[in-house]
Amino acid sequence: DWIKTGKQPPADTQTTGKLMVRSNWQEVRKELGI
């Protein structure tokens, strides 16, 4: 929308996510399907 119509997104966009660290990187990749 920002590029097409010039509608700027909210300044603070929060998403659900999971922190990937060395101890759980394989698990996180598996959950994401990569």
mmCIF file of all heavy atoms in Angstrom:
data_model
loop_
_atom_site.group_PDB
_atom_site.id
_atom_site.type_symbol
_atom_site.label_atom_id
_atom_site.label_comp_id
_atom_site.label_asym_id
_atom_site.label_seq_id
_atom_site.Cartn_x
_atom_site.Cartn_y
_atom_site.Cartn_z
ATOM 1 N N ASP A 1 0.814 -1.207 0.000
ATOM 2 C CA ASP A 1 0.000 0.000 0.000
ATOM 3 C C ASP A 1 0.850 1.260 0.000
ATOM 4 O O ASP A 1 0.466 2.272 -0.578
ATOM 5 C CB ASP A 1 -0.919 0.020 1.219
ATOM 6 C CG ASP A 1 -2.147 -0.872 1.035
ATOM 7 O OD1 ASP A 1 -2.423 -1.284 -0.106
ATOM 8 O OD2 ASP A 1 -2.810 -1.155 2.048
ATOM 9 N N TRP A 2 1.986 1.217 0.685
ATOM 10 C CA TRP A 2 2.824 2.414 0.779
ATOM 11 C C TRP A 2 3.355 2.800 -0.594
ATOM 12 O O TRP A 2 3.334 3.962 -0.987
ATOM 13 C CB TRP A 2 3.962 2.177 1.763
ATOM 14 C CG TRP A 2 4.663 3.430 2.207
ATOM 15 C CD1 TRP A 2 4.459 4.707 1.765
ATOM 16 C CD2 TRP A 2 5.680 3.541 3.191
ATOM 17 N NE1 TRP A 2 5.277 5.598 2.410
ATOM 18 C CE2 TRP A 2 6.051 4.896 3.299
ATOM 19 C CE3 TRP A 2 6.331 2.627 4.005
ATOM 20 C CZ2 TRP A 2 7.028 5.349 4.179
ATOM 21 C CZ3 TRP A 2 7.294 3.096 4.873
ATOM 22 C CH2 TRP A 2 7.642 4.428 4.966
ATOM 23 N N ILE A 3 3.805 1.817 -1.342
ATOM 24 C CA ILE A 3 4.377 2.105 -2.659
ATOM 25 C C ILE A 3 3.277 2.447 -3.662
ATOM 26 O O ILE A 3 3.393 3.396 -4.416
ATOM 27 C CB ILE A 3 5.208 0.902 -3.156
ATOM 28 C CG1 ILE A 3 6.431 0.725 -2.250
ATOM 29 C CG2 ILE A 3 5.621 1.094 -4.610
ATOM 30 C CD1 ILE A 3 7.207 -0.544 -2.509
ATOM 31 N N LYS A 4 2.183 1.671 -3.640
ATOM 32 C CA LYS A 4 1.122 1.868 -4.630
ATOM 33 C C LYS A 4 0.297 3.119 -4.374
ATOM 34 O O LYS A 4 0.016 3.873 -5.303
ATOM 35 C CB LYS A 4 0.190 0.653 -4.644
ATOM 36 C CG LYS A 4 0.822 -0.592 -5.218
ATOM 37 C CD LYS A 4 -0.166 -1.733 -5.222
ATOM 38 C CE LYS A 4 0.452 -2.996 -5.771
ATOM 39 N NZ LYS A 4 -0.487 -4.118 -5.726
ATOM 40 N N THR A 5 -0.135 3.326 -3.131
ATOM 41 C CA THR A 5 -1.078 4.410 -2.861
ATOM 42 C C THR A 5 -0.522 5.508 -1.971
ATOM 43 O O THR A 5 -1.205 6.481 -1.697
ATOM 44 C CB THR A 5 -2.343 3.847 -2.181
ATOM 45 O OG1 THR A 5 -1.982 3.270 -0.928
ATOM 46 C CG2 THR A 5 -3.022 2.805 -3.030
ATOM 47 N N GLY A 6 0.698 5.328 -1.475
ATOM 48 C CA GLY A 6 1.288 6.339 -0.609
ATOM 49 C C GLY A 6 0.798 6.258 0.826
ATOM 50 O O GLY A 6 1.050 7.151 1.618
ATOM 51 N N LYS A 7 0.075 5.176 1.156
ATOM 52 C CA LYS A 7 -0.443 5.008 2.518
ATOM 53 C C LYS A 7 0.684 4.480 3.411
ATOM 54 O O LYS A 7 1.088 3.332 3.302
ATOM 55 C CB LYS A 7 -1.616 4.028 2.514
ATOM 56 C CG LYS A 7 -2.221 3.807 3.879
ATOM 57 C CD LYS A 7 -3.351 2.789 3.844
ATOM 58 C CE LYS A 7 -3.844 2.499 5.242
ATOM 59 N NZ LYS A 7 -4.742 1.342 5.269
ATOM 60 N N GLN A 8 1.167 5.331 4.295
ATOM 61 C CA GLN A 8 2.298 4.973 5.153
ATOM 62 C C GLN A 8 1.829 4.035 6.268
ATOM 63 O O GLN A 8 0.788 4.255 6.874
ATOM 64 C CB GLN A 8 2.900 6.232 5.757
ATOM 65 C CG GLN A 8 4.157 5.972 6.537
ATOM 66 C CD GLN A 8 4.831 7.265 6.971
ATOM 67 O OE1 GLN A 8 4.409 8.349 6.595
ATOM 68 N NE2 GLN A 8 5.875 7.142 7.751
ATOM 69 N N PRO A 9 2.599 2.972 6.555
ATOM 70 C CA PRO A 9 2.236 2.057 7.644
ATOM 71 C C PRO A 9 2.476 2.711 8.999
ATOM 72 O O PRO A 9 3.176 3.724 9.089
ATOM 73 C CB PRO A 9 3.175 0.865 7.435
ATOM 74 C CG PRO A 9 4.349 1.438 6.734
ATOM 75 C CD PRO A 9 3.814 2.548 5.877
ATOM 76 N N PRO A 10 1.906 2.139 10.076
ATOM 77 C CA PRO A 10 2.157 2.674 11.405
ATOM 78 C C PRO A 10 3.658 2.670 11.708
ATOM 79 O O PRO A 10 4.381 1.783 11.247
ATOM 80 C CB PRO A 10 1.423 1.726 12.342
ATOM 81 C CG PRO A 10 0.578 0.841 11.493
ATOM 82 C CD PRO A 10 1.044 0.972 10.093
ATOM 83 N N ALA A 11 4.124 3.647 12.470
ATOM 84 C CA ALA A 11 5.546 3.768 12.778
ATOM 85 C C ALA A 11 6.044 2.594 13.613
ATOM 86 O O ALA A 11 7.191 2.176 13.494
ATOM 87 C CB ALA A 11 5.806 5.070 13.511
ATOM 88 N N ASP A 12 5.180 2.027 14.452
ATOM 89 C CA ASP A 12 5.566 0.904 15.305
ATOM 90 C C ASP A 12 4.765 -0.323 14.902
ATOM 91 O O ASP A 12 3.590 -0.445 15.242
ATOM 92 C CB ASP A 12 5.303 1.242 16.784
ATOM 93 C CG ASP A 12 5.733 0.120 17.712
ATOM 94 O OD1 ASP A 12 6.573 -0.703 17.318
ATOM 95 O OD2 ASP A 12 5.210 0.057 18.837
ATOM 96 N N THR A 13 5.394 -1.203 14.139
ATOM 97 C CA THR A 13 4.727 -2.419 13.697
ATOM 98 C C THR A 13 5.332 -3.590 14.440
ATOM 99 O O THR A 13 6.515 -3.882 14.281
ATOM 100 C CB THR A 13 4.898 -2.618 12.180
ATOM 101 O OG1 THR A 13 4.400 -1.469 11.512
ATOM 102 C CG2 THR A 13 4.167 -3.852 11.698
ATOM 103 N N GLN A 14 4.528 -4.241 15.258
ATOM 104 C CA GLN A 14 5.014 -5.379 16.035
ATOM 105 C C GLN A 14 4.438 -6.661 15.459
ATOM 106 O O GLN A 14 3.269 -6.712 15.101
ATOM 107 C CB GLN A 14 4.624 -5.231 17.502
ATOM 108 C CG GLN A 14 5.249 -4.010 18.144
ATOM 109 C CD GLN A 14 4.940 -3.912 19.618
ATOM 110 O OE1 GLN A 14 4.431 -4.847 20.227
ATOM 111 N NE2 GLN A 14 5.233 -2.776 20.199
ATOM 112 N N THR A 15 5.277 -7.668 15.380
ATOM 113 C CA THR A 15 4.834 -8.963 14.873
ATOM 114 C C THR A 15 5.120 -10.031 15.901
ATOM 115 O O THR A 15 5.980 -9.861 16.767
ATOM 116 C CB THR A 15 5.579 -9.323 13.566
ATOM 117 O OG1 THR A 15 6.971 -9.393 13.847
ATOM 118 C CG2 THR A 15 5.324 -8.301 12.476
ATOM 119 N N THR A 16 4.387 -11.113 15.797
ATOM 120 C CA THR A 16 4.692 -12.245 16.662
ATOM 121 C C THR A 16 5.914 -12.923 16.078
ATOM 122 O O THR A 16 6.046 -13.059 14.866
ATOM 123 C CB THR A 16 3.526 -13.237 16.729
ATOM 124 O OG1 THR A 16 3.233 -13.676 15.403
ATOM 125 C CG2 THR A 16 2.297 -12.596 17.333
ATOM 126 N N GLY A 17 6.798 -13.318 16.899
ATOM 127 C CA GLY A 17 8.013 -13.925 16.393
ATOM 128 C C GLY A 17 8.694 -14.722 17.481
ATOM 129 O O GLY A 17 8.256 -14.753 18.625
ATOM 130 N N LYS A 18 9.754 -15.381 17.108
ATOM 131 C CA LYS A 18 10.512 -16.178 18.052
ATOM 132 C C LYS A 18 11.982 -15.854 17.850
ATOM 133 O O LYS A 18 12.460 -15.825 16.715
ATOM 134 C CB LYS A 18 10.243 -17.665 17.816
ATOM 135 C CG LYS A 18 10.841 -18.560 18.858
ATOM 136 C CD LYS A 18 10.338 -19.988 18.700
ATOM 137 C CE LYS A 18 10.842 -20.845 19.821
ATOM 138 N NZ LYS A 18 10.343 -22.215 19.711
ATOM 139 N N LEU A 19 12.672 -15.599 18.918
ATOM 140 C CA LEU A 19 14.082 -15.274 18.838
ATOM 141 C C LEU A 19 14.883 -16.526 18.475
ATOM 142 O O LEU A 19 14.725 -17.577 19.099
ATOM 143 C CB LEU A 19 14.564 -14.728 20.180
ATOM 144 C CG LEU A 19 16.015 -14.269 20.237
ATOM 145 C CD1 LEU A 19 16.245 -13.097 19.290
ATOM 146 C CD2 LEU A 19 16.382 -13.882 21.651
ATOM 147 N N MET A 20 15.719 -16.397 17.455
ATOM 148 C CA MET A 20 16.562 -17.527 17.046
ATOM 149 C C MET A 20 17.950 -17.330 17.646
ATOM 150 O O MET A 20 18.581 -16.301 17.428
ATOM 151 C CB MET A 20 16.656 -17.602 15.528
ATOM 152 C CG MET A 20 17.473 -18.777 15.037
ATOM 153 S SD MET A 20 17.742 -18.784 13.248
ATOM 154 C CE MET A 20 16.151 -19.282 12.652
ATOM 155 N N VAL A 21 18.378 -18.311 18.407
ATOM 156 C CA VAL A 21 19.713 -18.295 19.006
ATOM 157 C C VAL A 21 20.415 -19.600 18.656
ATOM 158 O O VAL A 21 19.807 -20.515 18.108
ATOM 159 C CB VAL A 21 19.643 -18.109 20.549
ATOM 160 C CG1 VAL A 21 19.121 -16.720 20.888
ATOM 161 C CG2 VAL A 21 18.791 -19.157 21.202
ATOM 162 N N ARG A 22 21.662 -19.669 18.965
ATOM 163 C CA ARG A 22 22.439 -20.868 18.604
ATOM 164 C C ARG A 22 21.843 -22.157 19.165
ATOM 165 O O ARG A 22 21.929 -23.204 18.544
ATOM 166 C CB ARG A 22 23.881 -20.728 19.077
ATOM 167 C CG ARG A 22 24.665 -19.694 18.318
ATOM 168 C CD ARG A 22 26.125 -19.678 18.763
ATOM 169 N NE ARG A 22 26.856 -18.577 18.164
ATOM 170 C CZ ARG A 22 27.502 -18.678 17.000
ATOM 171 N NH1 ARG A 22 27.497 -19.801 16.338
ATOM 172 N NH2 ARG A 22 28.147 -17.634 16.522
ATOM 173 N N SER A 23 21.221 -22.066 20.317
ATOM 174 C CA SER A 23 20.702 -23.287 20.946
ATOM 175 C C SER A 23 19.389 -23.771 20.338
ATOM 176 O O SER A 23 19.022 -24.929 20.523
ATOM 177 C CB SER A 23 20.524 -23.064 22.450
ATOM 178 O OG SER A 23 19.612 -22.015 22.690
ATOM 179 N N ASN A 24 18.649 -22.910 19.599
ATOM 180 C CA ASN A 24 17.356 -23.354 19.073
ATOM 181 C C ASN A 24 17.166 -23.068 17.581
ATOM 182 O O ASN A 24 16.060 -23.135 17.083
ATOM 183 C CB ASN A 24 16.221 -22.696 19.860
ATOM 184 C CG ASN A 24 16.034 -21.238 19.538
ATOM 185 O OD1 ASN A 24 16.898 -20.604 18.948
ATOM 186 N ND2 ASN A 24 14.909 -20.681 19.930
ATOM 187 N N TRP A 25 18.223 -22.780 16.861
ATOM 188 C CA TRP A 25 18.067 -22.379 15.474
ATOM 189 C C TRP A 25 17.438 -23.454 14.604
ATOM 190 O O TRP A 25 16.642 -23.160 13.732
ATOM 191 C CB TRP A 25 19.397 -21.900 14.882
ATOM 192 C CG TRP A 25 20.435 -22.972 14.695
ATOM 193 C CD1 TRP A 25 21.336 -23.388 15.610
ATOM 194 C CD2 TRP A 25 20.662 -23.747 13.523
ATOM 195 N NE1 TRP A 25 22.121 -24.379 15.089
ATOM 196 C CE2 TRP A 25 21.727 -24.627 13.801
ATOM 197 C CE3 TRP A 25 20.072 -23.793 12.263
ATOM 198 C CZ2 TRP A 25 22.195 -25.537 12.860
ATOM 199 C CZ3 TRP A 25 20.551 -24.691 11.338
ATOM 200 C CH2 TRP A 25 21.607 -25.557 11.641
ATOM 201 N N GLN A 26 17.747 -24.711 14.868
ATOM 202 C CA GLN A 26 17.178 -25.784 14.057
ATOM 203 C C GLN A 26 15.672 -25.913 14.304
ATOM 204 O O GLN A 26 14.905 -26.100 13.369
ATOM 205 C CB GLN A 26 17.886 -27.100 14.359
ATOM 206 C CG GLN A 26 19.311 -27.115 13.830
ATOM 207 C CD GLN A 26 20.059 -28.368 14.233
ATOM 208 O OE1 GLN A 26 19.914 -28.847 15.347
ATOM 209 N NE2 GLN A 26 20.888 -28.873 13.340
ATOM 210 N N GLU A 27 15.262 -25.772 15.545
ATOM 211 C CA GLU A 27 13.838 -25.848 15.894
ATOM 212 C C GLU A 27 13.052 -24.704 15.243
ATOM 213 O O GLU A 27 11.981 -24.914 14.682
ATOM 214 C CB GLU A 27 13.694 -25.785 17.414
ATOM 215 C CG GLU A 27 12.272 -25.804 17.902
ATOM 216 C CD GLU A 27 12.184 -25.598 19.402
ATOM 217 O OE1 GLU A 27 13.127 -25.978 20.135
ATOM 218 O OE2 GLU A 27 11.170 -25.042 19.842
ATOM 219 N N VAL A 28 13.600 -23.503 15.290
ATOM 220 C CA VAL A 28 12.918 -22.342 14.716
ATOM 221 C C VAL A 28 12.796 -22.492 13.202
ATOM 222 O O VAL A 28 11.737 -22.238 12.629
ATOM 223 C CB VAL A 28 13.657 -21.035 15.079
ATOM 224 C CG1 VAL A 28 13.043 -19.844 14.359
ATOM 225 C CG2 VAL A 28 13.637 -20.809 16.582
ATOM 226 N N ARG A 29 13.847 -22.929 12.554
ATOM 227 C CA ARG A 29 13.802 -23.130 11.094
ATOM 228 C C ARG A 29 12.764 -24.181 10.726
ATOM 229 O O ARG A 29 12.040 -24.031 9.747
ATOM 230 C CB ARG A 29 15.174 -23.535 10.561
ATOM 231 C CG ARG A 29 16.139 -22.363 10.464
ATOM 232 C CD ARG A 29 17.508 -22.799 9.980
ATOM 233 N NE ARG A 29 17.454 -23.498 8.717
ATOM 234 C CZ ARG A 29 17.686 -22.956 7.516
ATOM 235 N NH1 ARG A 29 18.006 -21.676 7.461
ATOM 236 N NH2 ARG A 29 17.608 -23.646 6.424
ATOM 237 N N LYS A 30 12.668 -25.223 11.527
ATOM 238 C CA LYS A 30 11.700 -26.296 11.277
ATOM 239 C C LYS A 30 10.265 -25.745 11.386
ATOM 240 O O LYS A 30 9.413 -26.045 10.557
ATOM 241 C CB LYS A 30 11.913 -27.422 12.276
ATOM 242 C CG LYS A 30 11.102 -28.657 12.019
ATOM 243 C CD LYS A 30 11.495 -29.748 13.012
ATOM 244 C CE LYS A 30 10.645 -30.968 12.843
ATOM 245 N NZ LYS A 30 10.965 -32.000 13.840
ATOM 246 N N GLU A 31 10.019 -24.913 12.411
ATOM 247 C CA GLU A 31 8.692 -24.325 12.590
ATOM 248 C C GLU A 31 8.319 -23.414 11.432
ATOM 249 O O GLU A 31 7.160 -23.336 11.039
ATOM 250 C CB GLU A 31 8.642 -23.529 13.900
ATOM 251 C CG GLU A 31 8.635 -24.389 15.142
ATOM 252 C CD GLU A 31 8.684 -23.561 16.413
ATOM 253 O OE1 GLU A 31 8.472 -22.335 16.361
ATOM 254 O OE2 GLU A 31 8.919 -24.169 17.491
ATOM 255 N N LEU A 32 9.317 -22.702 10.877
ATOM 256 C CA LEU A 32 9.068 -21.794 9.767
ATOM 257 C C LEU A 32 9.009 -22.510 8.415
ATOM 258 O O LEU A 32 8.657 -21.918 7.409
ATOM 259 C CB LEU A 32 10.151 -20.720 9.716
ATOM 260 C CG LEU A 32 10.180 -19.748 10.889
ATOM 261 C CD1 LEU A 32 11.406 -18.847 10.804
ATOM 262 C CD2 LEU A 32 8.919 -18.925 10.955
ATOM 263 N N GLY A 33 9.389 -23.759 8.401
ATOM 264 C CA GLY A 33 9.360 -24.527 7.171
ATOM 265 C C GLY A 33 10.517 -24.214 6.237
ATOM 266 O O GLY A 33 10.395 -24.315 5.029
ATOM 267 N N ILE A 34 11.665 -23.824 6.842
ATOM 268 C CA ILE A 34 12.844 -23.545 6.005
ATOM 269 C C ILE A 34 14.003 -24.421 6.426
ATOM 270 O O ILE A 34 13.987 -25.051 7.440
ATOM 271 C CB ILE A 34 13.280 -22.065 6.067
ATOM 272 C CG1 ILE A 34 13.436 -21.594 7.505
ATOM 273 C CG2 ILE A 34 12.310 -21.209 5.327
ATOM 274 C CD1 ILE A 34 13.950 -20.185 7.655
#
